[in-house]
Amino acid sequence: MAGDGDGGAAEGGGGGGGGEEDGGAMAAEWEAMLGAGDGGAAETQAAVAKDSTRVLNQDEIDSLLGFDDDGGGAGDKSGIQAILNSALVSYERLPMLEVVFDRLVRMMSTSMRNFTSDNVEVSLDNILSLRFGDYLNSIPLPAMLAVFKAEEWDNFGLLTVDSSLIYSIVDVLLGGRRGTAAMRIEGRPYTTIERNLVERMVHVVLSDLSAAFDPLSPVTFRFDRLETNPRFATISRPSNAAIVAKLRIDMEDRGGRLELLLPYATLEPVRELLLQMFMGEKFGRDSIWETHLAEELWMTEVELEAVLDEQVMNLRDVLAWKPGSKLTLNATPDSHIDMRCGDIALFRGRMGRKGQHIAIQVDDTSRRDKTKG
């Protein structure tokens, strides 16, 4: 029996040794797992450090600078390119200019019909502001560029006629059949006849442009020269801002584009007029407001001063005045007294008394009449 108990104890001791081995294996497994976790954290930190020092590729650089070609060039620019172009003044800050171009479209519709004896439709595509150098680089050649001068403003403008409109005008004026598109002959310079016919059309457009600006500010646009090379039509610095109005002229199945460029320097003399707001075609005038303002002005209270005498004295004598000092006036009971409102002399009269008040009888209104003149 004792032997059996000892044997059981020995077996129990052996079982305890197996438990220690299992505990050591489990501890080793936990340490391995913790080691793997520390390794994963280290890998994450390394990945973050790698991302922070990552170099941008060419597509990301182009997108940042605003030269992304995916937009097709027709959409709004982004990035640094948008910041650079934001320095340009938008034409919407000149609300009267849109009214002027609307008048130009209506007048050109009539004048071009009389000029071509054909059914002509003139429409305004859009108005935009851009740099003069960018516009010259965007002109599709061949084209004719008419340089004109604003006489009263002492500056120049540019009128661009594209190839489609040139051949359409020549075809219409020389009796081309209707219903057939104008024939284009590319690869040769424009002939003298074509240049003369286009010059006649330019004179018609400039006459309408002068009439469109007439209610705002009288100006005469004089034709200067006709160029076919944009480099010879430079009327402003390439970095200067300009306004471009793009017109579309349709003559049944023929037609083309006409672009009018006016640098901001040309519009500077009438900038204040172009900034004013408007109602319809009254060009900034509001008769209701004018009547109300006139009625309120007639009810305005003004303060009149009766000036007995004026003397010129040295500042030293004025500073030497003390209580009790006397100032002798040169006015007498028969002297004329000026009635002033601020610094403006309105009336002259004589001083007297009415009851317990000092009164002035107005004798002369010539000073008020001189003030009006």
Side-chain angles (χ1 to χ4, degrees):
M1 293 293 293
D4 293 338
D6 294 336
E11 290 177 1
E20 291 177 357
E21 291 177 359
D22 294 341
M26 185 178 296
E29 184 177 356
W30 278 102
E31 289 179 359
M33 293 175 64
L34 291 176
D38 294 340
E43 291 177 0
T44 303
Q45 294 178 357
V48 171
K50 182 179 180 181
D51 289 340
S52 61
T53 59
R54 185 173 64 86
V55 179
L56 299 177
N57 57 28
Q58 187 61 41
D59 294 337
E60 293 171 335
I61 294 175
D62 292 341
S63 177
L64 177 63
L65 295 179
F67 298 110
D68 191 4
D69 294 335
D70 294 339
D76 296 335
K77 294 183 180 296
S78 61
I80 299 178
Q81 189 72 13
I83 297 176
L84 295 177
N85 291 332
S86 65
L88 291 180
V89 182
S90 175
Y91 84 96
E92 293 177 352
R93 298 184 184 179
L94 306 174
M96 291 301 298
L97 195 60
E98 189 167 351
V99 179
V100 171
F101 287 140
D102 287 340
R103 286 174 52 86
L104 175 63
V105 168
R106 292 198 302 270
M107 300 176 72
M108 280 184 59
S109 298
T110 303
S111 60
M112 291 297 291
R113 288 171 188 169
N114 297 333
F115 177 67
T116 60
S117 299
D118 200 351
N119 186 19
V120 180
E121 296 290 339
V122 181
S123 58
L124 179 64
D125 284 352
N126 61 343
I127 307 173
L128 66 155
S129 57
L130 71 168
R131 292 186 176 88
F132 181 75
D134 296 339
Y135 174 74
L136 284 187
N137 295 332
S138 65
I139 296 177
L141 297 179
M144 286 193 188
L145 295 87
V147 179
F148 60 90
K149 182 177 182 181
E151 296 288 351
E152 287 77 5
W153 302 342
D154 194 22
N155 219 319
F156 293 90
L158 197 63
L159 195 65
T160 303
V161 186
D162 71 346
S163 178
S164 299
L165 183 58
I166 293 173
Y167 289 113
S168 298
I169 289 294
V170 171
D171 191 52
V172 169
L173 295 181
L174 296 183
R177 287 187 299 174
R178 299 183 180 182
T180 58
M183 183 181 298
R184 299 184 184 180
I185 305 176
E186 306 292 349
R188 64 164 178 82
Y190 293 108
T191 63
T192 305
I193 295 178
E194 293 170 343
R195 293 173 62 95
N196 290 338
L197 294 179
V198 172
E199 183 176 336
R200 288 180 56 190
M201 184 192 68
V202 170
H203 281 285
V204 173
V205 175
L206 293 181
S207 177
D208 291 340
L209 184 61
S210 300
F213 272 100
D214 204 29
L216 188 70
S217 175
V219 60
T220 303
F221 294 103
R222 178 180 57 82
F223 175 78
D224 188 72
R225 65 185 185 273
L226 196 64
E227 301 287 351
T228 56
N229 190 341
R231 296 180 56 187
F232 298 148
T234 302
I235 59 174
S236 179
R237 293 183 179 179
S239 59
N240 288 357
I243 287 183
V244 179
K246 297 186 177 182
L247 305 174
R248 175 75 185 179
I249 300 178
D250 294 317
M251 296 172 286
E252 294 184 356
D253 56 343
R254 296 170 288 195
R257 291 186 177 273
L258 187 71
E259 297 180 355
L260 174 64
L261 180 140
L262 291 173
Y264 275 94
T266 302
L267 298 175
E268 187 63 27
V270 292
R271 180 174 174 272
E272 295 297 331
L273 298 176
L274 294 174
L275 285 173
Q276 66 182 357
M277 299 303 293
F278 62 93
M279 290 183 61
E281 297 243 347
K282 295 181 181 179
F283 285 88
R285 297 190 58 186
D286 186 356
S287 58
I288 300 176
W289 171 250
E290 289 178 359
T291 304
H292 174 71
L293 181 61
E295 293 175 353
E296 294 296 325
L297 285 177
W298 284 114
M299 300 172 60
T300 303
E301 296 182 358
V302 295
E303 182 179 353
L304 294 178
E305 297 178 349
V307 182
L308 298 178
D309 189 24
E310 289 182 334
Q311 294 185 10
V312 180
M313 302 180 64
N314 295 327
L315 181 60
R316 182 189 309 158
D317 298 335
V318 175
L319 295 178
W321 284 353
K322 298 179 181 178
S325 299
K326 294 182 179 180
L327 177 64
T328 303
L329 300 178
N330 297 324
T332 63
D334 296 332
S335 299
H336 284 82
I337 297 174
D338 289 337
M339 298 290 295
R340 296 182 181 179
C341 179
D343 296 333
I344 301 176
L346 298 179
F347 311 103
R348 296 191 72 185
R350 297 180 184 274
M351 186 173 62
R353 181 183 293 272
K354 183 178 182 180
Q356 299 297 324
H357 301 281
I358 298 176
I360 296 177
Q361 183 180 2
V362 177
D363 294 337
D364 186 12
T365 60
S366 59
R367 287 180 175 258
R368 182 179 63 177
D369 297 337
K370 292 179 181 178
T371 303
K372 288 183 178 179

